[in-house]
Amino acid sequence: MNPLGRFKNAPLFLLMACVLAWGALPVHAQEMSDIASMGYEAFGDSSVHNENYVTGRERAVKEAFRNSLDEALRDMLGPTVYNQNKNALKSMYANPEAYIQSYRYLEATDDLVEKVSRVKLEVMFFKEALNKELNTRGVLAALVKPRTVLVLLKEKSLTADTFYSFWESVPIAEVSMYKYLVAEDIKAVKREDVRDRIPETLVLRAVNGDLQASVEVGLKAAADVVVLGTALSTVVNEEADTGTKTIQANLNVRAVSATQGMLIAAKSEIATVKVEKDFDGELKAFEKVSENMVRFLVDALGRYWGPDKKKVVQQQEGGIHPDEVPGGGDEPPIEETPPPTNQIPSHLPPMMGDL
């Protein structure tokens, strides 16, 4: 009797386990590549001249590249924006390799009777490269609502005793910032309006400072600017004799342009309040720090967007000219600030990725 007889099917079981594990990979891979790349399958064929199947194969691959690029652009832009910008997109098809990360053959045949070379490829595109090219051509702006802001924060609350996933939580600081933005007559997008459009893995990468992830969040939410970051509340001091506590709220945010793919502004704010109850102190501290942060963002957005042309027209139609506003002719000079860049200021503290 063979003592290993009971294990005679072990190789088969091992093979099945490997197949199952491999089959589960695309889901994870898709989550990881949600930002950096996007893949499409495409066909290409080309006639063969003078029995030169090598050149025929190259032309077939080139056609498959163009077909896959066309699918990618249709997917990114949607039918309406794609059809409206066909002329602006035409020259992109001349050099699709500029946006391709990698590709692999799925099928390849040479028909010796019909003298045709055919291929089926899986093509992976650099999403960032496509975004930059579309922005250069003025197409990306059509995907967002102008002068809109989306605020998404990952918050660690002093008084919260239950852990929630990102989209299940309702950050106090985020609600406060939304309120103050609306009060400043800025079109703000609500969290609940975009939660079904943005994967949690994507938004968490954006919150932790990934620029390209932030751009993707903005495009998926159709928001011109996204403000992402972290918020934290803590007790920094307790006075036993008076029974009061000092509650501190920390807020770290970055404002990113979804269409320009660049950092507009970044800032850290701290606010403290003295109270007797933790919850009251947390609310007041987050309210205070959010108000200060929005005041900073309003100035930064004003420099980025420039004057609101609609408001200027409304003022002129109402008989009010900027020069006629009391004191309008004696305004102090505005201190110029450098334009926003993709570089994150080195003096700012890092994002609290361990929240």
Side-chain angles (χ1 to χ4, degrees):
M1 179 178 178
N2 183 0
L4 300 178
R6 70 178 67 184
F7 301 109
K8 63 181 180 180
N9 292 324
L12 178 61
F13 290 138
L14 180 61
L15 176 62
M16 291 177 64
C18 291
V19 170
L20 290 173
W22 177 83
L25 284 177
V27 176
H28 177 68
Q30 185 173 355
E31 290 180 357
M32 294 303 294
S33 65
D34 186 50
I35 302 163
S37 60
M38 48 201 299
Y40 296 89
E41 293 182 3
F43 292 90
D45 59 57
S46 175
S47 57
V48 175
H49 302 287
N50 300 323
E51 304 295 325
N52 191 342
Y53 284 91
V54 174
T55 301
R57 174 71 57 82
E58 291 176 352
R59 287 199 295 263
V61 169
K62 185 80 171 184
E63 183 182 358
F65 285 167
R66 288 193 291 266
N67 292 338
S68 60
L69 175 61
D70 189 65
E71 287 190 47
L73 293 175
R74 289 174 183 272
D75 189 28
M76 291 179 67
L77 301 176
T80 302
V81 176
Y82 173 84
N83 290 326
Q84 290 174 345
N85 293 274
K86 278 187 175 181
N87 290 333
L89 301 173
K90 276 183 180 179
S91 59
M92 292 181 66
Y93 296 94
N95 186 29
E97 295 92 334
Y99 321 108
I100 293 176
Q101 178 184 17
S102 63
Y103 73 95
R104 68 187 181 97
Y105 285 91
L106 299 178
E107 296 177 11
T109 58
D110 293 322
D111 192 322
L112 302 181
V113 177
E114 297 184 5
K115 296 188 181 302
V116 174
S117 181
R118 299 185 179 91
V119 297
K120 179 182 179 183
L121 305 180
E122 181 184 63
V123 184
M124 303 297 295
F125 289 93
F126 283 114
K127 190 174 288 187
E128 183 176 4
L130 287 173
N131 281 341
K132 288 182 177 179
E133 185 65 31
L134 292 173
N135 176 57
T136 301
R137 295 168 185 266
V139 178
L140 215 56
L143 298 179
V144 303
K145 298 176 182 178
R147 305 178 78 95
T148 54
V149 177
L150 170 66
V151 179
L152 292 174
L153 300 177
K154 183 181 178 183
E155 185 174 280
K156 186 173 182 180
S157 169
L158 166 67
T159 58
D161 54 3
T162 305
F163 173 79
Y164 295 98
S165 67
F166 182 85
W167 289 118
E168 290 176 339
S169 63
V170 183
I172 301 172
E174 183 179 308
V175 174
S176 297
M177 287 188 67
Y178 174 87
K179 179 183 68 175
Y180 285 115
L181 285 169
V182 172
E184 293 288 344
D185 202 22
I186 292 177
K187 297 176 184 177
V189 182
K190 292 183 178 179
R191 162 184 282 245
E192 53 265 31
D193 293 339
V194 301
R195 59 179 299 171
D196 294 333
R197 286 183 258 165
I198 306 173
E200 185 165 326
T201 52
L202 176 63
V203 74
L204 288 177
R205 291 185 65 174
V207 162
N208 287 327
D210 189 312
L211 180 63
Q212 182 56 27
S214 303
V215 170
E216 288 299 314
V217 167
L219 294 178
K220 288 179 181 294
D224 188 8
V225 174
V226 286
V227 178
L228 302 126
T230 56
L232 171 69
S233 59
T234 55
V235 177
V236 294
N237 187 41
E238 293 189 47
E239 299 178 8
D241 53 341
T242 60
T244 60
K245 299 179 180 180
T246 301
I247 308 296
Q248 178 174 295
N250 297 64
L251 186 55
N252 303 283
V253 303
R254 293 179 172 91
V256 174
S257 166
T259 55
Q260 300 295 323
M262 68 180 186
L263 183 72
I264 297 173
K267 189 174 178 62
S268 296
E269 278 281 353
I270 297 176
T272 57
V273 296
K274 285 189 176 183
V275 292
E276 294 182 357
K277 296 181 179 180
D278 291 351
F279 185 69
D280 291 341
E282 183 177 56
L283 286 176
K284 292 178 181 178
F286 274 138
E287 188 86 5
K288 185 177 179 180
V289 76
S290 298
E291 183 179 13
N292 294 338
M293 185 64 77
V294 168
R295 191 179 299 117
F296 161 78
L297 289 174
V298 167
D299 291 339
L301 292 172
R303 292 191 296 270
Y304 170 67
W305 284 331
D308 189 338
K309 295 180 180 180
K310 289 184 179 180
K311 289 184 178 180
V312 173
V313 171
Q314 290 172 355
Q315 286 179 344
Q316 293 175 348
E317 290 177 349
I320 301 176
H321 192 276
D323 295 337
E324 298 174 358
V325 178
D330 299 318
E331 291 183 359
I334 299 175
E335 182 179 352
E336 293 187 1
T337 57
T341 68
N342 289 341
Q343 299 298 321
I344 297 174
S346 59
H347 67 280
L348 291 175
M351 300 299 289
M352 292 180 286
D354 58 341
L355 294 186

